[in-house]
Amino acid sequence: MNRGPLPQDALGADAPPPRTGTGMFRSTFAIAFYTLLSRIAGFVRDIVMTAVLGTSAGADAFFIALRLANLGRSLFAEGALNAAFVPMFSGHLEQSGRAGAFRFANIILNWLLVILFAVTIVLELLMPFIVLVFAPGFTSVPGKIELATLFSRIAFPYLLLVSLVTLLSGVLNSMGRFWVGAAVPILLNLAMIFALLVAAPYNANPALLLAWSCPVAGVVQLCVLIYASRRIGLKWRLQLPRPNPELKKLLRLLLPVALAGVIGWGSILVTSALASFQESAVSFLQYAERLYHLPLSLIGISIGVVLLPELSRQWRGTRHDRALKSQNRALEFALLLTLPAAVLLFLLSEPIINVLFERARFTASDTRATAAALSVMAWGLPGAVLAHIFVTVFYARQDTKTPLLYNAISNGVYVAAACACFFFVGYVGIAIAASLAAWTHATLLGVVLHRGGQLVLDARLRKRAGRFLASAAVMVVVVWGLHQGGGIAPLAESLGSGLLARASVLFVLFCAGLLAYAAACQLTGAAHWREIIEVALPQYSRKQEKP
């Protein structure tokens, strides 16, 4: 049953003010900005890593360890905790103010600490078996499986630390303080860069230092979030947790999303095991995923972080029209940015990887192999972004069971397609399966939301979506003509083959493609430059959206 609107005085000064459409997009830009800084730091890390480790056995072993250490992020940071905690915390904030909301946060923090500490101990003891399941192909190389086990044991406590960071970020996001949670991932990349540039020359095994950088960075991230949360009044007090009715409700919401995370973990397990049977395939896929996740994080995840607390408040009351409008604008914004990103990754995958990674132990053949995976992944990028927004709509309505079903189906498609394609095209088949699964997930979720009346595409979105596609087609023609058609060849020949020359050519291709897309959007009416100014520079806007 839908509750009536809360009286205005019930909201008080404790709850963040309602956010307009432009306000939501400005918050998204803020998150995207810090996420971009983190990704830039990540690319610098990867550039240094490829030069130091290349696609060696040590690199493969570390990537398995990093994947296990990041399990906390896949299960909690972008899943269960955000889905279950943020809507409940937002509800407490509106109903009982900061004091009640912070009491609830303290209960969950202490329970999370106890549960994940126990989980970490158990999994540390089982690590040799876990690594063997994730990378059975490593046993064919002497010492490789033992190396991966050692790295995984060192890095795995990051799961506990990043989960606590995630919950504190959820508190700050619900209070409208989005930038802190978006900025702290930079610290992990900086720690890894430090390990490679400073410590690696004095150690025979730089990958070992990379493994140690994960828990060290997690401790620093947690300290930053504790300080930021204290600035808004949340003082985390360590105490023995006790059963609580709100905890039971949180667990009911959390369990389906955690199961979805386990299903995703299982699919990663299968595909990692497959890739381990092909030499350097784990590294090829890892480097390709790093580039693929840049636009996914900047667009899909950033929009989802802002949209979740906003929709939670709107669907909670009778502001359903505002919720539908927010969803339509979020989808419109996502399409505007995702389509050109997918085009650039697809058409320019090889020159991108060439400029970023090809040096020292990362060879030209490694570039071609990684680019093959990236170009295929690019096809699934719009589907992955749409799916992330659709899942956010379910979570905002405190429905975590429905996404579980369709997550299971899409992961089933991923595993089946990966197994089938791997035996024909190797690791590229895993990339094909990922794109197919992303579109399957988005389609299923979108159909269900539409049938339930929770996704009603307004006339503006329907009109502009087609124009975005047409503008993207213009971009394809321009970029393909310059790159594959030889239009950029005279410039490339005059500049030479050095790194700066190759980077300059890539920059020209990027600019030409984006300018073509922007011009097409302006001419077709898909987007107008004044709308961008209204979002990015509100002080110069001629009009403000009415609340």
Side-chain angles (χ1 to χ4, degrees):
M1 179 182 298
N2 292 324
R3 299 184 181 183
L6 292 170
Q8 186 62 35
D9 58 359
L11 301 178
D14 285 337
R19 307 180 71 80
T20 64
T22 54
M24 181 175 67
F25 294 148
R26 284 195 293 272
S27 297
T28 301
F29 273 124
I31 295 175
F33 173 74
Y34 286 104
T35 301
L36 178 60
L37 291 182
S38 177
R39 295 295 177 171
I40 291 172
F43 287 136
V44 173
R45 180 200 76 187
D46 287 345
I47 289 170
V48 177
M49 194 180 302
T50 53
V52 175
L53 298 177
T55 56
S56 64
D60 280 354
F62 172 72
F63 286 139
I64 289 295
L66 185 63
R67 182 165 290 177
L68 288 170
N70 274 323
L71 176 62
R73 185 169 297 277
S74 62
L75 289 179
F76 297 102
E78 297 160 3
L81 274 182
N82 261 351
F85 176 78
V86 171
M88 289 188 65
F89 183 85
S90 298
H92 279 282
L93 195 61
E94 290 200 2
Q95 289 185 327
S96 52
R98 293 194 183 194
F102 290 167
R103 281 194 299 270
F104 170 69
N106 258 289
I107 292 171
I108 304 306
L109 277 166
N110 286 305
W111 270 109
L112 187 66
L113 177 61
V114 170
I115 293 171
L116 287 181
F117 183 79
V119 169
T120 301
I121 295 298
V122 172
L123 294 183
E124 286 281 356
L125 295 173
L126 297 175
M127 194 60 70
F129 306 101
I130 296 172
V131 173
L132 182 62
V133 172
F134 262 80
F138 283 7
T139 56
S140 62
V141 179
K144 192 173 182 179
I145 195 77
E146 291 79 10
L147 201 61
T149 301
L150 174 63
F151 293 169
S152 298
R153 277 181 162 160
I154 294 171
F156 195 73
Y158 185 68
L159 182 153
L160 168 63
L161 298 164
V162 77
S163 299
L164 295 171
V165 166
T166 296
L167 192 143
L168 291 172
S169 297
V171 171
L172 293 168
N173 291 342
S174 299
M175 300 297 298
R177 309 290 180 87
F178 294 101
W179 73 270
V180 183
V184 290
I186 300 173
L187 298 174
L188 175 62
N189 291 319
L190 293 179
M192 291 185 179
I193 294 170
F194 179 84
L196 287 167
L197 290 181
V198 178
Y202 305 99
N203 191 289
N205 191 349
L208 177 64
L209 297 170
L210 281 175
W212 276 110
S213 69
C214 292
V216 170
V219 170
V220 177
Q221 288 176 329
L222 182 58
C223 291
V224 171
L225 263 296
I226 290 174
Y227 174 77
S229 62
R230 290 179 69 88
R231 292 289 301 272
I232 63 169
L234 172 61
K235 297 180 180 179
W236 178 17
R237 295 181 176 86
L238 292 174
Q239 58 188 19
L240 186 65
R242 299 177 180 179
N244 182 282
E246 292 292 340
L247 175 65
K248 295 179 180 179
K249 180 180 179 181
L250 180 74
L251 291 175
R252 286 197 300 270
L253 293 173
L254 186 147
L255 182 59
V257 193
L259 289 175
V262 171
I263 293 171
W265 187 21
S267 66
I268 292 173
L269 185 154
V270 173
T271 55
S272 295
L274 280 174
S276 70
F277 285 101
Q278 188 173 0
E279 184 179 0
S280 299
V282 172
S283 296
F284 295 150
L285 290 171
Q286 176 70 20
Y287 291 129
E289 286 174 2
R290 289 287 299 163
L291 290 163
Y292 168 80
H293 280 289
L294 174 61
L296 179 59
S297 298
L298 291 178
I299 304 167
I301 295 175
S302 297
I303 291 175
V305 168
V306 177
L307 197 61
L308 180 57
E310 182 72 11
L311 288 182
S312 296
R313 292 189 289 269
Q314 291 172 345
W315 281 114
R316 186 178 182 84
T318 57
R319 294 175 285 173
H320 295 177
D321 289 344
R322 287 191 60 84
L324 291 173
K325 182 179 180 181
S326 296
Q327 291 167 196
N328 275 281
R329 299 293 73 77
L331 291 170
E332 180 182 319
F333 191 51
L335 287 174
L336 171 66
L337 300 180
T338 305
L339 290 176
V343 169
L344 291 174
L345 287 181
F346 173 68
L347 293 177
L348 302 179
S349 57
E350 189 166 334
I352 290 172
I353 294 168
N354 175 281
V355 169
L356 290 177
F357 300 143
E358 189 177 316
R359 59 189 52 83
R361 297 185 63 183
F362 197 91
T363 66
S365 62
D366 294 332
T367 293
R368 290 189 294 271
T370 305
L374 178 60
S375 62
V376 173
M377 290 179 183
W379 285 98
L381 179 61
V385 171
L386 292 176
H388 196 89
I389 295 175
F390 293 155
V391 168
T392 301
V393 176
F394 283 104
Y395 290 167
R397 295 175 58 83
Q398 297 191 17
D399 178 4
T400 57
K401 294 181 179 179
T402 304
L404 171 63
L405 172 62
Y406 297 106
N407 176 76
I409 293 174
S410 63
N411 274 280
V413 170
Y414 177 43
V415 170
C419 291
C421 295
F422 183 79
F423 294 101
F424 293 97
V425 290
Y427 69 94
V428 177
I430 298 175
I432 294 172
S435 292
L436 180 61
W439 279 110
T440 301
H441 197 197
T443 301
L444 291 174
L445 291 172
V447 168
V448 171
L449 284 173
H450 182 68
R451 288 179 177 176
Q454 288 111 34
L455 178 63
V456 180
L457 305 183
D458 59 21
R460 171 173 161 173
L461 177 58
R462 292 196 302 270
K463 177 177 66 176
R464 292 195 173 191
R467 295 175 180 179
F468 289 146
L469 289 171
S471 300
V474 172
M475 183 182 183
V476 169
V477 172
V478 171
V479 175
W480 187 91
L482 287 174
H483 180 49
Q484 300 293 341
I488 200 72
L491 176 62
E493 291 174 1
S494 65
L495 291 176
S497 59
L499 176 61
L500 182 60
R502 287 179 282 131
S504 299
V505 170
L506 181 61
F507 179 74
V508 170
L509 290 171
F510 261 73
C511 290
L514 292 175
L515 286 174
Y517 181 74
C521 284
Q522 176 75 18
L523 291 174
T524 61
H528 197 278
W529 63 269
R530 287 195 182 94
E531 295 173 338
I532 305 300
I533 292 179
E534 184 177 347
V535 172
L537 300 171
Q539 64 270 33
Y540 298 110
S541 173
R542 294 183 179 179
K543 63 178 182 178
Q544 296 291 330
E545 184 178 350
K546 295 181 181 181

XYZ file of all heavy atoms in Angstrom, residues 113 309 411 535:
30
model
N 30.483 -5.379 10.612
C 31.859 -5.637 11.045
C 32.008 -7.060 11.577
O 32.951 -7.781 11.210
C 32.257 -4.625 12.120
C 33.650 -4.798 12.732
C 34.730 -4.653 11.668
C 33.865 -3.791 13.858
N 18.608 7.279 -3.742
C 17.936 7.989 -2.645
C 16.818 8.903 -3.125
O 15.812 9.076 -2.430
C 19.071 8.787 -1.984
C 20.155 8.868 -3.002
C 20.043 7.621 -3.827
N 22.784 -14.020 -16.021
C 24.043 -14.699 -15.726
C 24.066 -16.104 -16.312
O 25.127 -16.595 -16.711
C 24.291 -14.743 -14.221
C 24.982 -13.498 -13.701
O 26.189 -13.348 -13.816
N 24.200 -12.582 -13.146
N 22.707 22.537 -16.837
C 23.123 21.517 -15.884
C 24.491 21.828 -15.302
O 24.705 21.802 -14.085
C 23.137 20.124 -16.567
C 23.748 19.090 -15.629
C 21.723 19.708 -16.939
